[in-house]
Amino acid sequence: MSIDPSDKIGEIIAAGRERVSVARDEVNRPMIHHLCDAMEETNPIHLDPEAARAAGHPDVVAPPSALQVWNMINPSDPVIESDVDRAYAILAECGYPKVVAVNCDQEYDRYLVPGDVLTATEKVEAFAGPKQTGLGEGYFITTLTSYTDQSGERVGTMRFRTLWYNPEKRTS
Amino acid sequence: MSTVASTQTLEQNQNPAGPGSVSVGDTLPELRIPITATLIVTGAIATRDFQKVHHDKDVAVAAGTPNVFMNILTTNALVNRYVGQWAGPSARVGRINIRLGATNFPGDEMLFTGSVESVDGANVTVKVIGTNSLGPHVTGTIELTIPTEEETA
């Protein structure tokens, strides 16, 4: 049994309420080193200040793909319910309990340097469905997170799209 | 991290895409990345993703998957590394847009291939695919700028 979640999710998108989180730690060299060690990232702009300056950066820079890292939820943080979580809960309650990530689209306004303190602002941006997929009938939902620095300037955005589906509603 | 280094096949590009040398249809050197539990777990923690399915096999199995599996931030980082290795340190990545597919589990291998989709002055668009034994894990479009000779002169 499934219910059409469109009205409830539409209300959330229209309201546009955002979850705002400030990074606990500034962008910093030890975490950049951890990232590079784990990924075997050897681009010297992340590791060597001179090489970074030669490439036009003021200091070593974080890999741009790490945009999301600085505002990840800390395991010990209290759970702050947001409209993104509410939208996901609505989809599950309406009979689409399984989730799979589909797209992640990051755009970078500038590279991040040690000392940057990021604020992430997240909301539900778009919603589409029901669609028949290989996994079953489901809905696609897209969140938009904007990242700003300590001066309030935007440094990047991330659109993250997930499919919430019902594996019992498969046509094939 | 020498233990991780020793498990990965590095095909370091000795000739990164230099100024003015990029053309539509150019292919990136292939890169094979062994998918190990070490890469998955250290990648998850280095990206501050503490979801247990990325580091605790018991939890992953209870959740219905055969093993721990790679998180999206690690996938993004590996796409970043693959394109950056080709483009060289002077490049600036402006966008990484990925579509996710087959899960990366330990014991597998991901093969990265890529090609240049468009070139407009210094603005270059590259398409990459990372394929494992189950199919495409990641398909990505990366927008970057690679300084032209005039800009670097």
Side-chain angles (χ1 to χ4, degrees), chain A residues 8-155:
Chain A
K8 285 182 173 175
I9 307 274
E11 282 168 23
I12 285 177
I13 292 172
R17 280 181 297 266
E18 297 171 321
R19 186 177 83 97
V20 179
S21 75
V22 180
R24 182 176 62 182
D25 294 305
E26 60 192 32
V27 175
N28 63 83
R29 258 169 234 233
M31 279 179 61
I32 293 172
H33 288 157
H34 282 314
L35 284 161
C36 292
D37 287 342
M39 310 303 173
E40 291 202 16
E41 174 61 78
T42 56
N43 190 329
I45 63 172
H46 308 309
L47 302 161
D48 175 359
E50 273 187 37
R53 280 192 281 273
H57 300 288
D59 193 352
V60 291
V61 287
S65 56
L67 176 66
Q68 192 187 353
V69 167
W70 317 100
N71 295 81
M72 291 294 282
I73 294 166
N74 306 306
S76 56
D77 280 354
V79 176
I80 302 167
E81 202 182 297
S82 74
D83 271 10
V84 170
D85 301 319
R86 280 186 205 101
Y88 292 162
I90 288 165
L91 287 164
E93 286 160 14
C94 286
Y96 303 93
K98 302 283 279 183
V99 62
V100 62
V102 183
N103 299 95
C104 181
D105 183 4
Q106 296 185 339
E107 295 182 73
Y108 316 110
D109 298 301
R110 71 164 173 89
Y111 279 22
L112 303 177
V113 292
D116 280 329
V117 179
L118 298 199
T119 298
T121 306
E122 183 190 34
K123 66 177 182 180
V124 180
E125 184 184 48
F127 176 67
K131 306 245 174 160
Q132 283 302 329
T133 76
L135 296 167
E137 185 183 285
Y139 287 84
F140 291 94
I141 187 163
T142 305
T143 63
L144 170 63
T145 307
S146 291
Y147 296 89
T148 53
D149 66 13
Q150 56 279 8
S151 306
E153 294 290 319
R154 198 184 73 181
V155 297

Side-chain angles (χ1 to χ4, degrees), chain A residues 24-25 31 34-35 37-46 51 55-57 63-66 68-70 72-75 98 100-109 111 158 160-161, chain B residues 1 4-8 10 12 39 42-44 46-50 63 71-74 76-78 80-82 84-85 88-101 143:
Chain A
R24 182 176 62 182
D25 294 305
M31 279 179 61
H34 282 314
L35 284 161
D37 287 342
M39 310 303 173
E40 291 202 16
E41 174 61 78
T42 56
N43 190 329
I45 63 172
H46 308 309
H57 300 288
S65 56
Q68 192 187 353
V69 167
W70 317 100
M72 291 294 282
I73 294 166
N74 306 306
K98 302 283 279 183
V100 62
V102 183
N103 299 95
C104 181
D105 183 4
Q106 296 185 339
E107 295 182 73
Y108 316 110
D109 298 301
Y111 279 22
M158 178 174 74
F160 186 63
R161 195 159 73 116
Chain B
M1 296 299 293
V4 181
S6 65
T7 63
Q8 296 206 6
L10 279 178
Q12 285 286 0
L39 174 61
T42 60
T47 55
R48 296 196 40 74
D49 184 344
F50 292 93
N71 69 335
I72 299 164
L73 292 91
T74 298
N76 259 327
L78 295 175
N80 192 163
R81 169 187 152 197
Y82 177 55
Q85 198 166 300
S90 64
R92 294 279 202 288
V93 178
R95 183 177 188 181
I96 297 179
N97 184 7
I98 63 168
R99 180 179 175 81
L100 295 150
E143 297 175 9

Side-chain angles (χ1 to χ4, degrees), chain B:
Chain B
M1 296 299 293
S2 57
T3 51
V4 181
S6 65
T7 63
Q8 296 206 6
T9 306
L10 279 178
E11 296 179 24
Q12 285 286 0
N13 184 8
Q14 300 304 318
N15 298 296
S21 68
V22 178
S23 306
V24 172
D26 284 359
T27 54
L28 281 62
E30 289 183 0
L31 176 65
R32 291 178 185 277
I33 298 185
I35 308 303
T36 60
T38 299
L39 174 61
I40 290 166
V41 173
T42 60
I45 301 306
T47 55
R48 296 196 40 74
D49 184 344
F50 292 93
Q51 289 199 58
K52 292 183 180 179
V53 288
H54 303 308
H55 67 254
D56 187 329
K57 185 178 178 181
D58 292 343
V59 172
V61 169
T65 62
N67 207 329
V68 294
F69 57 93
M70 187 175 286
N71 69 335
I72 299 164
L73 292 91
T74 298
T75 299
N76 259 327
L78 295 175
V79 169
N80 192 163
R81 169 187 152 197
Y82 177 55
V83 174
Q85 198 166 300
W86 166 79
S90 64
R92 294 279 202 288
V93 178
R95 183 177 188 181
I96 297 179
N97 184 7
I98 63 168
R99 180 179 175 81
L100 295 150
T103 307
N104 268 341
F105 290 114
D108 210 336
E109 180 184 73
M110 180 164 66
L111 170 65
F112 270 124
T113 58
S115 61
V116 176
E117 291 267 296
S118 72
V119 179
D120 178 11
N123 298 316
V124 177
T125 304
V126 173
K127 181 143 193 206
V128 306
I129 303 177
T131 304
N132 65 28
S133 66
L134 304 171
H137 167 72
V138 58
T139 308
T141 304
I142 294 86
E143 297 175 9
L144 68 163
T145 58
I146 302 175
T148 59
E149 286 178 53
E150 296 78 56
E151 285 170 335
T152 52

